[in-house]
Amino acid sequence: MAAIPRGRTPQPDGLRLVGAIRLSRYTDASTSPEVQKDTVERTGGRMGGAFVGWAQDIDVSALKTTPWEREELAYWLDRPDEWDVMIWQRMDRAVRSMADMADLGRYAKQHGKRLVFASGPGGDRLELDFSSPMSELIMLILAFAAQLEGQTIMERNQGAAAHLQSLGRWAGGIVPYGYVPGRRMFPDGNEGWWLYAHSDEDPLRSTADIRRRMVALALAGRNYSEITAWLTELSAITPKNHRALLATPPRDIDEESRWQVTVVREMLMSPTMRGYIVKKDGTTVRDETGAPVLQGERLITDDDWHALQEALKALTIANPSERRKDAHPLLGIVVCGVCDRNMYLNWYTERLGGRGAKGRPTGVKKQVFRCQGKYHEPGVPTLTIHAEPVLQFVEEQFLAHMGPFRRTQTIRIPGSDNRAEIADLEADIEELSTRLAQLRGRAADVVMQQLQARSDRLEELEQQPVTPAREEVVELDTTWADDWNEATDPHRRRRMLVECGARVVVSPPPRWRAPAHERCTFSVGTHVSPEQDALDDVAYQESL
């Protein structure tokens, strides 16, 4: 449903009304925005006023937010001179806290505003008059009732969710990216909700495939920023819009919704994609044996999950220079030919002659690679070279040396050693041990039982025969030149240079203004030409 505009209309001669709508979950059809709006409009019509705007806050909990923390409502509360009366359907649409009601009452008393609830006790309209202490007492009593009702609803929902989770059912709430809820029959003969891998005819909205491709990119060495850029360039549907389309009824797409690096990181690290039930604190829901409880289909295999976690750890412990915003595209590759240490990117101003409007010398800023010169012999000048010709030289040499060769990738062939399950058990034991130290009584007994079951299973697997996994290097369909031309990001190209062992040595200039190719030498790791390899093989066969 399109958002109800909060814009202002021409000022009426009578009462200026603002209608306020709030909903914790948009799928709650019994108190949908349309029903609330209709009730508020009828109440405003009986009061003889005209609406100057609306405050509609959807998917906002009154237990978790104050009136001033809701975007639409705060807009009008911050503008008391533009309205006289604010109308809600019921008091619980405004607040579910005595403290919030007291703050709202003080605000209304200070600014001379009227707060009206279309459905008060007994179903009649309730208007709070803050001119007497008795009215304020009634207001707090009603707010206490709303707060108590809210706490009861929350506890009831939490209890129901915990029961469903223990049975392996999806308990509702935010739909994880990559999934769609559906009904199924469970082994106990009862029907319940389950999360299925989500697919769509439009590949940009097929969220399960998009999430799997995110995993594949991470396994290929892409970092969070690159994956985020890929999602943005692809125009893949965002988690917010994915949930909007799954709502009942579907909500409009938010064109302003964007992918964020933090969201990508959380999605890749979350065991939700394994079908597990994950709490808000990040812990996994477990059964009496300590095994994770499923709430949906697995999007990736256990082997892929553990390989993904290793890849993410590698991103965390990578060289800090990879994450520096000022890291230049040849950092760690271009070195000084005098001291054999890294050269760094710097700016300098090339004077053009003449002076500007304020009498300052005119010039053009250019980039250079410069050695710090700390390790040179006395009297040896610091080496400096223009950056742009060096970058062109490196690209030409890289494509000449590496361009025709196919790229390779190291793949891991798992053995029969239950490595994935052992890793899961070790992680489970670590998590349960941490939780056990924080509990006591019955809760500690339950966790202790889970911990013992996990430990017994781990001991059983560790005693089984082991066939170690092995790695193989496979040849990809793309060449170095293909990937280089596709990589528009200079830092991605730098990783390719690092991967092939590229090194650029800058020597002192042999003459004045010597070009880059006279001062630079380019080398890479040892690579065998496919043609030469074939000739060598023929020669070897003939010698037998």
Side-chain angles (χ1 to χ4, degrees):
M1 189 191 80
I4 300 174
R6 66 184 181 194
R8 292 164 290 181
T9 59
Q11 297 298 312
D13 296 331
L15 291 175
R16 299 170 298 172
L17 311 179
V18 171
I21 296 172
R22 185 196 62 79
L23 203 63
S24 297
R25 292 185 182 178
Y26 188 71
T27 56
D28 186 0
S30 63
T31 54
S32 65
E34 292 83 1
V35 173
Q36 293 187 44
K37 182 174 184 290
D38 180 67
T39 304
V40 170
E41 283 180 334
R42 283 189 278 108
T43 300
R46 289 195 296 268
M47 295 180 66
F51 285 93
V52 296
W54 290 84
Q56 177 174 264
D57 295 293
I58 303 300
D59 290 332
V60 176
S61 169
L63 280 173
K64 300 177 181 178
T65 62
T66 69
W68 283 266
E69 291 174 337
R70 304 170 204 162
E71 181 180 1
E72 297 280 342
L73 184 57
Y75 175 88
W76 290 104
L77 293 177
D78 292 339
R79 294 164 173 79
D81 296 335
E82 300 180 11
W83 58 276
D84 304 309
V85 183
M86 186 169 289
I87 308 175
W88 286 268
Q89 182 192 35
R90 297 192 308 270
M91 181 176 286
D92 61 0
R93 298 297 99 194
V95 296
R96 281 195 182 274
S97 162
M98 292 179 64
D100 290 346
M101 189 69 253
D103 292 340
L104 199 58
R106 280 192 293 269
Y107 169 89
K109 186 175 183 179
Q110 176 184 354
H111 296 284
K113 302 302 175 185
R114 297 165 60 183
L115 306 181
V116 177
F117 305 98
S119 299
D124 296 330
R125 187 182 82 192
L126 171 66
E127 179 174 346
L128 296 179
D129 180 8
F130 299 97
S131 61
S132 67
M134 186 58 67
S135 297
E136 295 186 18
L137 176 60
I138 294 174
M139 171 194 71
L140 292 178
I141 292 174
L142 294 175
F144 172 74
Q147 178 176 334
L148 184 62
E149 180 188 17
Q151 292 289 346
T152 303
I153 292 173
M154 184 175 65
E155 292 173 1
R156 185 171 66 244
N157 289 341
Q158 289 176 345
H163 175 67
L164 291 175
Q165 289 173 351
S166 67
L167 298 176
R169 272 68 159 174
W170 181 60
I174 296 177
V175 181
Y177 194 83
Y179 287 98
V180 58
R183 305 287 289 181
R184 61 164 285 190
M185 188 67 67
F186 288 86
D188 59 6
N190 295 317
E191 188 179 274
W193 288 100
W194 181 256
L195 292 177
Y196 294 92
H198 174 251
S199 61
D200 193 279
E201 294 181 357
D202 184 353
L204 301 182
R205 296 187 176 184
S206 189
T207 57
D209 291 335
I210 292 173
R211 193 157 186 173
R212 293 188 186 105
R213 292 174 69 182
M214 292 168 60
V215 173
L217 290 173
L219 292 175
R222 303 287 182 88
N223 59 33
Y224 300 122
S225 298
E226 290 177 324
I227 297 175
T228 304
W230 172 78
L231 290 166
T232 302
E233 183 178 355
L234 184 67
S235 297
I237 187 170
T238 63
K240 178 181 179 180
N241 286 331
H242 170 61
R243 294 192 298 270
L245 294 180
L246 295 182
T248 306
R251 300 197 293 268
D252 290 340
I253 290 292
D254 182 2
E255 300 294 343
E256 300 300 321
S257 179
R258 296 289 183 268
W259 282 97
Q260 303 294 332
V261 174
T262 53
V263 174
V264 171
R265 180 179 181 275
E266 291 173 0
M267 287 175 58
L268 290 174
M269 298 185 68
S270 173
T272 300
M273 73 176 78
R274 306 179 73 185
Y276 293 171
I277 302 177
V278 181
K279 299 180 182 179
K280 290 183 179 180
D281 60 2
T283 59
T284 303
V285 176
R286 304 179 183 280
D287 60 19
E288 63 277 2
T289 67
V293 178
L294 295 176
Q295 66 175 352
E297 298 178 342
R298 296 175 181 267
L299 296 185
I300 61 174
T301 65
D302 289 339
D303 287 337
D304 285 342
W305 168 259
H306 292 293
L308 173 63
Q309 300 313 301
E310 292 299 322
L312 298 182
K313 287 180 183 177
L315 286 179
T316 304
I317 62 176
N319 191 327
S321 64
E322 291 282 354
R323 300 189 296 272
R324 283 178 48 185
K325 293 182 179 180
D326 61 342
H328 67 71
L330 294 183
L331 183 62
I333 297 169
V334 59
V335 298
C336 174
V338 176
C339 65
D340 199 36
R341 294 180 182 272
N342 289 337
M343 299 182 70
Y344 296 90
L345 197 63
N346 286 272
W347 288 93
Y348 89 104
T349 301
E350 181 177 333
R351 303 301 179 188
L352 299 178
R355 294 184 178 275
K358 296 185 179 181
R360 297 174 181 174
T362 59
V364 178
K365 294 187 69 175
K366 292 187 177 182
Q367 288 183 311
V368 295
F369 292 124
R370 176 176 293 143
C371 176
Q372 294 181 344
K374 296 180 180 179
Y375 305 95
H376 289 193
E377 294 292 336
V380 177
T382 299
L383 289 189
T384 300
I385 189 170
H386 286 280
E388 184 176 352
V390 173
L391 292 172
Q392 295 176 353
F393 169 79
V394 170
E395 180 173 6
E396 294 171 358
Q397 294 297 312
F398 175 83
L399 294 177
H401 284 78
M402 300 295 301
F405 296 98
R406 289 185 180 273
R407 298 201 66 177
T408 59
Q409 182 179 6
T410 301
I411 62 172
R412 179 178 179 273
I413 300 177
S416 58
D417 60 349
N418 299 307
R419 187 182 301 272
E421 186 174 356
I422 288 176
D424 275 340
L425 289 169
E426 290 175 342
D428 293 349
I429 290 173
E430 182 179 354
E431 178 187 332
L432 291 171
S433 299
T434 302
R435 291 172 57 188
L436 182 61
Q438 303 170 351
L439 300 174
R440 61 181 180 179
R442 175 59 182 160
D445 294 339
V446 173
V447 174
M448 186 63 199
Q449 181 182 355
Q450 295 175 341
L451 180 60
Q452 187 61 52
R454 298 279 87 187
S455 299
D456 293 343
R457 177 59 177 165
L458 177 60
E459 184 178 355
E460 177 186 343
L461 290 180
E462 289 178 338
Q463 293 176 355
Q464 294 180 4
V466 173
T467 302
R470 68 182 191 278
E471 293 183 346
E472 286 187 1
V473 178
V474 297
E475 194 174 72
L476 303 179
D477 293 333
T478 59
T479 64
W480 287 91
D482 294 334
D483 288 354
W484 180 273
N485 293 328
E486 181 186 354
T488 55
D489 180 6
H491 299 294
R492 183 178 167 193
R493 287 186 170 184
R494 175 185 174 273
R495 280 197 298 276
M496 294 177 64
L497 293 168
V498 172
E499 185 178 344
C500 72
R503 179 180 174 86
V504 179
V505 179
V506 179
S507 302
R511 56 187 176 83
W512 177 251
R513 293 188 179 275
H517 69 269
E518 292 186 11
R519 297 186 55 189
C520 298
T521 57
F522 180 91
S523 62
V524 293
T526 303
H527 296 276
V528 179
S529 167
E531 293 80 4
Q532 186 60 47
D533 184 57
L535 292 174
D536 292 343
D537 184 59
V538 171
Y540 173 76
Q541 296 294 335
E542 291 177 349
S543 65
L544 296 178

